[in-house]
Amino acid sequence: MGRPDPEEGQLPAPVKPPDGGWGWIVLLGCFVITGFSYAFPKAVSVYFKELMKDFHVGYSDTAWISSIMLAMLYGTGPVCSIMVNQFGCRPVMLIGGLLASAGMILASFTTNIIELYLTAGVLTGLGMALNFQPSLIMLGTYFDKRRPLANGLAAAGSPVFLSSLSPLGQVLLEKFGWRGGFLIMGGLLLNCCTCGAVMRPLDMGMKRKMGKAQDKYEAKEMLPIGGKSEEGISTTDGTKKGKKAKKKPKKGKKLLDFSIFSNRGFIIYTISKFILVLGLFVPPILLVNYAKDTGVPDTEAAFLLSIIGFIDIFARPACGMVAGLKWVRPHVAYLFSFSMLFNGLTDICSARASNYTGLVIFCVFFGISYGMVGALQFEVLMAIVGSQKFSSAIGLVLLIEAFAVLIGPPSAGRLVDALKNYEVIFYLAGSEVVLSALFLGVASYCCLNRGKKEPPPENNPSAGGGSDTEEAESDVQEAEEHSSDNHQPAHSTDNAVVVANEEANHVAEEQRGEGGGCPAGDGEVLARDGCNADQMVERDSF
């Protein structure tokens, strides 16, 4: 009725996140998608030795498979944003699951390394990118109060799947070879389609409820009650004709909203995240080789990564729970800054670790700080830009991070080859992470908090200081009393609520068309003081 139609190119009215219900199924799907997206490029490395033998290439050539996957995951962010804004999350995720699976299946039939780049690298990487970003968008749609906890639980999918896919890949390699392993891995990636299928748009249930209420109201109005039925039909027809005449020309959808760059918080977050990614992934990549150079046996050196993964599994949900506390959530950006500072200082303090005990201590603290960063990174972005602009924001952020991923680890590897000293690399990586933490904390305090100290001007002093939701609730109660006095009992409570919704939506639609304030006529029953009809729709829909 009064709500904009998404099919007409307008944004749908925001729907209140349920913070549970079907959202837990969405969270499970996001957990699986996050696990595949981050763990799969690393788990593929177990096949590299066999690929080197079959294709007669070096380790650096096979390592490009994982690099291309990660580059597609980060670099195609804007493309994913455009597709989500155009087609929605569920269709994009279904297509992404098919592409990811098809890439690994086709890779099992390749005959040279270039074909592997195009199939396992480009095709599978693109498919995972089309799953990862929409899953985060849906998670932010279904959760609000519990969103920090939901983000922490979803982020835990990365270490869980990493600790599972790597041993599974080794077993598949021993029993079926790398071609059979790729084929089975492709079948596993079809689970991304299942996860995409459960990503039900939140406004679907809202539309069904509103449609049923409208049909019930129209059916009651069509009952023969003297001469009022014909009068009501003619009035309804006239109202519909008037609404059609008032309809504005269709507006084109923003496929990628660049207006978020006018948000100072988003700019600060993007710069700090770019600096962070330059050094965040360097220590775990070089850790095993660093341990071997200090005289640690191969099996014990590989176990260091397992320690990080095990600690990471518990650190992410725990940090999500802490971030969801009432006194912590308003300052979640500072908690994110602290987690980055903790991670950077861990790198710096452990640069001189020369024995296995020191490296184990480093892995424990690095796993805690790394899990905190992983749990908070997208929660902070959602808090800055909101759920409506998150689809565009995450695409642009991932694109910027893609450049940092291609600069940081390769540069660290070249410095190791040139200097033959891992200590300098750990100092450099830790300094970059500390710099990003200090920039985020100081810039957020100086640029954002000072602007909030100035009190905003009051829009309507005569409104009594009540919120829009409270005013909407009082309007609905007044409508119910008015209905019970002037209508038959058959039209009392249910009819009054539906009438309230319809009139409030109609008033909101006229205000959007005229660009004016609230109507002040004496004959208005609803929305005299509070003009926010969307909140009334949200309240009545749950």
Side-chain angles (χ1 to χ4, degrees), residues 214 218 235-245:
Q214 181 181 358
E218 291 179 352
T235 305
T236 305
D237 293 340
T239 304
K240 290 182 179 180
K241 290 180 181 178
K243 288 183 180 180
K244 289 180 181 179

Side-chain angles (χ1 to χ4, degrees), residues 2 503-513 531-534:
E503 292 185 8
N505 291 331
H506 181 60
V507 170
E509 184 181 34
E510 290 180 351
Q511 291 167 7
R512 284 192 291 268
C531 300
N532 195 342
D534 291 335

Side-chain angles (χ1 to χ4, degrees), residues 65-78:
I65 299 174
S66 298
S67 300
I68 293 174
M69 282 186 182
L70 290 174
M72 295 299 294
L73 180 65
Y74 285 97
T76 57

Side-chain angles (χ1 to χ4, degrees), residues 518-538:
C518 297
D522 296 332
E524 293 292 336
V525 177
L526 296 172
R528 292 198 309 270
D529 298 325
C531 300
N532 195 342
D534 291 335
Q535 293 190 5
M536 184 185 298
V537 175
E538 292 177 9

